[in-house]
Amino acid sequence: PGLTQRSMSLAVSGTGHLNGVPIDVDKAYGSIVYSNVFLAPGVRTRMLTATGATHSLAISDGNLLGDTQEATLFVNGQPHGLPRVHILQDGAERPWKARSADGTVDLSFEPKALYRATDIRRFGRVHHDSTWVAGQLTGTVPGPKKVMKIDMVALAEEHRFQG
């Protein structure tokens, strides 16, 4: 079980750095996500989040939440459910795709910079491997009234836990 709290569409400015690669965030928006989850052995998940002035996206794929996945479009702070989305990638440094089975969610993510972290504890029995990738998310999603075009700075994540 887990608990996630989100604060979306927070104005940010300046330049961030990810592994020494500068990312311009002037006129961009960020979010704060707090998750408190128990990671069972064998968890593998991918996530995409993007935040703008009026709309934000939060998408997960994998077994982090069991059979339940997150696919939410926030418009003016109001959540709108999206169909289940599968996040496909062939290496964190290569383009990612996020698509729903019915084709109404069709997104491409172009990586710009990444950071990897590996944590081994308890005599080597706990192994957590995570990758965070900053980049550009483009494509379309079904909005509350019409199809919305997406072109936003985004964060892609991949987490694996082996116990």
Side-chain angles (χ1 to χ4, degrees):
L3 168 69
T4 299
Q5 296 175 330
R6 293 188 180 280
S7 293
M8 307 297 271
S9 299
L10 305 171
V12 295
S13 63
T15 302
H17 290 79
L18 186 60
N19 262 1
V21 177
I23 307 290
D24 181 19
V25 295
D26 275 339
K27 299 180 183 173
Y29 291 84
S31 63
I32 297 172
V33 178
Y34 169 79
S35 294
N36 182 10
V37 297
F38 171 74
L39 295 176
V43 165
R44 184 175 184 147
T45 191
R46 293 180 180 136
M47 295 182 273
L48 278 171
T49 53
T51 300
T54 60
H55 56 281
S56 303
L57 282 169
I59 298 170
S60 70
D61 186 22
N63 61 352
L64 176 66
L65 305 172
D67 289 335
T68 304
Q69 305 302 318
E70 182 174 19
T72 308
L73 170 68
F74 296 88
V75 178
N76 296 319
Q78 297 299 311
H80 300 276
L82 298 173
R84 185 177 184 141
V85 175
H86 292 287
I87 301 171
L88 309 170
Q89 55 100 327
D90 185 24
E93 298 173 20
R94 300 183 62 171
W96 298 37
K97 300 286 184 189
R99 293 195 175 114
S100 59
D102 64 4
T104 58
V105 175
D106 187 10
L107 299 167
S108 296
F109 175 78
E110 187 65 37
K112 295 194 186 280
L114 68 87
Y115 175 78
R116 284 195 172 102
T118 300
D119 189 17
I120 299 174
R121 296 183 192 180
R122 291 193 314 196
F123 307 106
R125 289 179 39 201
V126 174
H127 181 200
H128 182 242
D129 183 31
S130 295
T131 304
W132 294 268
V133 187
Q136 193 71 24
L137 186 66
T138 58
T140 57
V141 297
K145 296 181 182 176
K146 62 181 181 176
V147 172
M148 295 182 70
K149 289 190 177 191
I150 302 296
D151 188 0
M152 308 167 77
V153 172
L155 179 68
E157 304 173 52
E158 182 172 34
H159 303 283
R160 292 180 300 220
F161 181 76
Q162 302 164 355

